[in-house]
Amino acid sequence: MNVYCQGTLHQMEVALTSILEIMDGLTEEDLQSRPTPSKHSIGELISHISLIPRADFLISEGAGQKEMSDFYSCQSLTTLGEMKQELQRNFHYLKEQVAVLTDDMLTEEITSYWGVTYTRFEWLVEIVAHLYHHRGQLHAMLVHCCEHEPHVSLFE
């Protein structure tokens, strides 16, 4: 595997490990909490996070809007256990897919269905950024809105 992909996947694993640790400190009841009425609940956010590795990889391979809509409509994660399992499964899927990418494939440009064009490697970096963004969002929701301090290290 490309050395840069190895490093990028390692950073993704850092984020995922801390997300899983945050989830370990939650209860099923916590998933219903909706700190801002018009925004996602904690459960909806974690469900979204659980799908990011696979969903964003599909986008990085050129999946269209209908394909992504179909992907999301088939997902129904309601418990912490399901979400944790899906997050781990989707990260494993992503690692397997990235492992076979050649340097030429990593520099190939792929355009998303909404018109953004990145190389496959840039899409991989975007997946890391997406995970860190939502991890920060989850942490902030818990600390500032729910008065729940996860006591989880967010960086190595």
Side-chain angles (χ1 to χ4, degrees):
M1 179 187 305
N2 175 294
V3 67
Y4 300 109
C5 289
Q6 287 176 341
T8 304
L9 288 171
H10 173 73
Q11 290 306 311
M12 199 177 302
E13 206 158 8
V14 170
L16 293 176
T17 298
S18 58
I19 290 166
L20 291 167
E21 288 177 12
I22 290 171
M23 291 171 72
D24 284 341
L26 299 176
T27 65
E28 298 296 330
E29 293 76 34
D30 292 328
L31 300 179
Q32 305 309 311
S33 179
R34 186 179 306 274
T36 305
S38 63
K39 299 294 183 181
H40 289 304
S41 69
I42 289 171
E44 290 165 344
L45 175 59
I46 295 172
S47 178
H48 173 70
I49 291 169
S50 299
L51 300 176
I52 289 173
R54 185 180 296 254
D56 283 10
F57 181 78
L58 293 173
I59 292 167
S60 79
E61 289 296 302
Q65 187 171 9
K66 179 173 179 356
E67 186 177 348
M68 293 311 299
S69 180
D70 290 347
F71 170 79
Y72 284 118
S73 69
C74 292
Q75 307 302 318
S76 178
L77 305 173
T78 57
T79 69
L80 283 165
E82 290 170 346
M83 293 174 202
K84 288 174 72 172
Q85 183 177 21
E86 192 68 9
L87 178 58
Q88 292 166 327
R89 190 170 73 87
N90 288 331
F91 180 59
H92 180 73
Y93 168 84
L94 175 66
K95 286 195 311 187
E96 287 181 337
Q97 300 306 309
V98 171
V100 300
L101 296 176
T102 65
D103 287 351
D104 286 341
M105 294 168 80
L106 287 166
T107 59
E108 183 181 348
E109 291 186 338
I110 307 292
T111 302
S112 69
Y113 64 84
W114 63 89
V116 172
T117 301
Y118 295 139
T119 65
R120 276 196 177 94
F121 182 74
E122 287 176 303
W123 280 113
L124 189 60
V125 172
E126 188 279 338
I127 297 169
V128 175
H130 195 180
L131 286 166
Y132 273 86
H133 161 73
H134 284 308
R135 184 193 66 178
Q137 187 179 30
L138 175 62
H139 189 270
M141 287 170 71
L142 293 171
V143 171
H144 300 294
C145 301
C146 300
E147 297 181 13
H148 173 82
E149 173 57 60
H151 299 289
V152 169
S153 177
L154 300 180
F155 299 96
E156 287 185 306

